[in-house]
Amino acid sequence: MKNSTKKIAGFLLMAFALICAPNEIWANSEASTTPISVKNDLIGGWEYTVAGAPEGYEKGFLMIVKQGESYKTQVQLSSGAVNGENIVVKGNKITFTINVEGETVSVALEAKGSTISGTSTSPSNGTMQITGVKSISPQ
């Protein structure tokens, strides 16, 4: 029961941040002041799986939000939520690290529409493949 309460609380927190995150810019032209949407495939919630990961880490939920010019990530595992650090975004690619049981795990992902894929690398488990599907969109 505690894990589901943590998951729900984490989900609500990230959903609130996602709703508050700006995802529009104003067109900068003399002829138009109409807002235009900026497409960013990374932003949203992702249900993912990690092939070959230890039990309890083989699937989870990843939230990626943009606040101003910076990005925030949170990985929700069966054991609880972990915030990402050292986040770097280039186009539809994101890299970040998380601390899992005292070990730094590096994550590199690329979003293409409603799918995401990449790798996670840790000292004890090596490199593993990640695949995911977007389950929460910002709009």
Side-chain angles (χ1 to χ4, degrees), residues 5-6 10 25 35 54-55 72 86 95 103 105 117 120 124 130 132:
T5 302
K6 285 182 183 178
I25 62 170
E55 186 175 335
K72 298 193 181 296
N86 307 310
T95 60
E103 185 172 84
V105 178
S117 62
S120 68
S124 64
I130 301 172

Side-chain angles (χ1 to χ4, degrees), residues 85-100:
E85 299 175 355
N86 307 310
I87 302 165
V88 176
V89 173
K90 293 181 181 175
N92 283 336
K93 296 180 181 182
I94 186 169
T95 60
F96 59 94
T97 59
I98 55 174
N99 188 310
V100 179

Side-chain angles (χ1 to χ4, degrees), residues 44-55:
W46 302 88
E47 292 182 38
Y48 71 88
T49 58
V50 183
E55 186 175 335

Side-chain angles (χ1 to χ4, degrees), residues 7-130:
K7 284 183 182 178
I8 291 170
F11 172 76
L12 291 176
L13 178 64
M14 293 307 292
F16 177 75
L18 182 64
I19 290 168
C20 294
N23 63 354
E24 289 187 331
I25 62 170
W26 288 91
N28 189 14
S29 91
E30 296 177 7
S32 174
T33 57
T34 306
I36 57 171
S37 255
V38 176
K39 184 171 170 55
N40 187 327
D41 288 340
L42 285 171
I43 296 172
W46 302 88
E47 292 182 38
Y48 71 88
T49 58
V50 183
E55 186 175 335
Y57 299 100
E58 70 274 11
K59 61 183 176 176
F61 185 78
L62 167 65
M63 279 298 291
I64 302 173
V65 297
K66 184 174 183 185
Q67 294 179 324
E69 293 301 312
S70 65
Y71 287 81
K72 298 193 181 296
T73 62
Q74 184 178 65
V75 179
Q76 297 174 11
L77 305 163
S78 61
S79 59
V82 182
N83 292 326
E85 299 175 355
N86 307 310
I87 302 165
V88 176
V89 173
K90 293 181 181 175
N92 283 336
K93 296 180 181 182
I94 186 169
T95 60
F96 59 94
T97 59
I98 55 174
N99 188 310
V100 179
E101 295 183 16
E103 185 172 84
T104 299
V105 178
S106 298
V107 179
L109 299 167
E110 181 176 7
K112 292 181 182 177
S114 62
T115 63
I116 199 163
S117 62
T119 59
S120 68
T121 305
S122 68
S124 64
N125 294 308
T127 300
M128 294 179 278
Q129 297 297 310
I130 301 172

